Amino acid sequence: MSVFQLPNFLPVKVAGLSLPARKKGAEIVHTTDIVVEHEGANDVLDLFDAELLDMLYREIESEAEEKQLSLDSIQKVSKKPVLRTAALQAPIALSLKWVGYELTIDRGLGGDSNIVVDEIEIKRIRIWPKEGGTVKVMMHLQSKHVGSVQVGQLRELLKLETKIRLLAPKVKQDAIDGSTEAFEADKAANAAAAPAPKTAPRPPARKPTKAEQQAAAREAATAAFAGAAH
């Protein structure tokens, strides 16, 4: 499954907003729970899971189905507008959750006027699939990292339509890619950087005793006498 994100701004309605605050020592900590709704073509389901669209919808398979949609005044907004079953009760809950996201809310002017909240947790996702290829998606965006200025800006958006972007957290790259070549290269680099091992000092030479000196002198004299005799 690919990483979920909304790299392009998606039109939504801020359907609910909770901004509780609590004291942490002398500091006021703000948190938020933003409920957003999006209604549009069902291809948005691919952003959540690549299997969802085909699980819930299919293409028109007969002229009778095409005619029935027209009779029911249902506007087709997708290449797969027909619900596979009417046995599912909406909303359908998705068991998906993501953490660490960056939320950007467009306040209409763009740029510096945007509201940016990080450490977003995306949870409690619900979908309402409809005949014709329209789907409504609702999700909760929660964060415990909201500034006091952002709290005032967010309050202004309740029940209003806006646009949001959600970017996945960046993954830190490993120092080594896991291959044998990388392991050997890293080991060689560490060996080159390591200091040379110290050589243990030799113990000082022991001074011979007086008896040993006398014995050595006698052996030397004996050897010299034997050499002179020859």
Side-chain angles (χ1 to χ4, degrees):
M1 184 189 297
S2 59
V3 175
F4 167 78
Q5 42 180 18
L6 301 176
N8 301 315
F9 281 95
L10 184 75
V12 298
K13 177 182 177 180
V14 180
L17 182 64
S18 176
L19 295 164
R22 60 185 176 84
K23 290 198 69 175
K24 187 178 180 181
E27 182 184 5
I28 302 295
V29 178
H30 297 280
T31 60
T32 184
D33 183 356
I34 308 170
V35 184
V36 295
E37 292 179 356
H38 167 78
E39 188 163 350
N42 58 15
D43 56 2
V44 73
L45 296 175
D46 287 334
L47 297 174
F48 296 92
D49 190 299
E51 304 295 329
L52 269 178
L53 181 57
D54 287 336
M55 286 175 58
L56 298 174
Y57 290 91
R58 61 173 174 82
E59 297 178 357
I60 293 176
E61 296 177 349
S62 67
E63 292 184 5
E65 288 182 344
E66 180 84 44
K67 185 177 180 180
Q68 187 61 49
L69 289 177
S70 299
L71 289 174
D72 294 339
S73 300
I74 296 175
Q75 182 182 4
K76 293 183 297 181
V77 298
S78 168
K79 294 180 180 179
K80 298 180 179 180
V82 182
L83 282 171
R84 288 189 179 275
T85 177
L88 295 175
Q89 183 176 0
I92 300 171
L94 303 185
S95 59
L96 298 172
K97 183 187 293 186
W98 296 279
V99 296
Y101 277 64
E102 179 186 87
L103 166 67
T104 302
I105 302 175
D106 185 1
R107 299 175 70 199
L109 301 176
D112 294 338
S113 69
N114 290 344
I115 305 171
V116 180
V117 183
D118 57 11
E119 298 302 322
I120 287 287
E121 181 178 1
I122 306 166
K123 60 194 302 184
R124 293 207 293 276
I125 303 168
R126 305 287 186 271
I127 60 174
W128 286 259
K130 302 178 182 180
E131 203 73 70
T134 300
V135 65
K136 183 173 79 170
V137 179
M138 175 186 287
M139 53 186 168
H140 287 241
L141 310 175
Q142 297 180 337
S143 177
K144 297 179 180 179
H145 197 248
V146 186
S148 55
V149 174
Q150 293 171 322
V151 169
Q153 294 172 334
L154 289 170
R155 283 200 179 102
E156 298 173 359
L157 297 176
L158 183 59
K159 303 302 180 183
L160 296 182
E161 293 183 355
T162 183
K163 296 178 181 179
I164 65 169
R165 180 177 64 193
L166 285 164
L167 299 181
K170 295 179 180 179
V171 180
K172 294 183 179 179
Q173 186 176 5
D174 293 337
I176 303 177
D177 63 14
S179 65
T180 303
E181 292 81 2
F183 175 78
E184 294 297 335
D186 185 70
K187 184 171 69 173
N190 288 337
K198 295 181 179 180
T199 304
R202 295 182 179 179
R206 184 175 62 85
K207 186 177 181 180
T209 64
K210 188 174 182 180
E212 290 173 339
Q213 292 175 354
Q214 291 174 346
R218 284 196 298 269
E219 289 178 2
T222 302
F225 176 76
H230 289 288

